Amino acid sequence: MEKIKSIIKKFCTKEVISYIIFGILTTLVNITISFVTTACKIEGNLSSTIGIICSILFAYFTNRKWVFTSYAHTFKEKITEFGRFILARAFTMVVEIVGVFLLNDVVHSFYGLFSNNIAYLINKVIMTIIVIILNFFFSKFFAFTKKDEEK
């Protein structure tokens, strides 16, 4: 029982809880924009890309201020931090686009019971969960790193 409490305490930090809350909001931005643009007859992969870009910008500002508490103060530090954040998110954007494409076009036959829109939404949610996990680690250990004296 103590080991379980220790594990829960280790993972239920303010940072993780904040990331989950803002991750959910970021996910809602991503899925909502993707679904609305798809409903407006924009092709699924393009809709996914638009949703991802909007959610990346939302995530940067929320993560910088409320999740990882950025220590970037100078213009150069802020640009470097933003560049790292965008680089990491660009990588996970490619992961998501490729994942949605593969699920939509390759694995789609497994969703024969669902309409195309529902199958797309299921695929989008699956890839979004994977991307959220990757983004936490990239943000924590790559984009919003703290200087040694501020750790």
Side-chain angles (χ1 to χ4, degrees):
M1 191 64 161
E2 287 300 316
K3 187 165 185 124
I4 292 172
K5 285 181 182 179
S6 173
I7 291 171
I8 290 172
K9 189 175 182 179
K10 182 178 181 179
F11 289 104
C12 287
T13 64
K14 178 183 178 253
E15 188 176 74
V16 170
I17 292 168
S18 295
Y19 186 79
I20 290 169
I21 291 167
F22 287 107
I24 290 168
L25 293 173
T26 299
T27 301
L28 290 175
V29 167
N30 188 342
I31 290 173
T32 301
I33 290 173
S34 297
F35 193 71
V36 167
T37 54
T38 300
C40 292
K41 308 294 184 208
I42 295 176
E43 189 270 329
N45 291 322
L46 180 56
S47 291
S48 180
T49 304
I50 293 167
I52 293 164
I53 290 168
C54 292
S55 66
I56 287 170
L57 293 173
F58 177 82
Y60 173 73
F61 291 106
T62 57
N63 285 334
R64 182 179 199 289
K65 182 165 177 102
W66 292 300
V67 179
F68 298 106
T69 313
S70 173
Y71 287 91
H73 299 295
T74 67
F75 180 76
K76 182 180 177 186
E77 289 172 335
K78 289 177 183 178
I79 290 296
T80 300
E81 176 185 84
F82 183 73
R84 287 181 175 189
F85 186 86
I86 294 300
L87 183 63
R89 294 299 168 112
F91 174 76
T92 59
M93 182 175 88
V94 170
V95 168
E96 186 169 349
I97 290 168
V98 170
V100 169
F101 171 78
L102 291 174
L103 289 173
N104 277 339
D105 296 340
V106 177
V107 188
H108 181 71
S109 61
F110 291 113
Y111 297 131
L113 300 173
F114 302 110
S115 71
N116 286 342
N117 283 343
I118 298 300
Y120 169 79
L121 190 58
I122 292 168
N123 296 338
K124 185 73 173 168
V125 169
I126 290 168
M127 288 311 304
T128 300
I129 291 168
I130 292 167
V131 166
I132 287 170
I133 294 166
L134 289 173
N135 284 337
F136 176 83
F137 289 105
F138 283 130
S139 292
K140 182 168 178 67
F141 299 110
F142 180 66
F144 296 107
T145 56
K146 295 174 177 61
K147 294 179 186 175
D148 287 336
E149 66 271 9
E150 295 171 332
K151 287 184 182 179

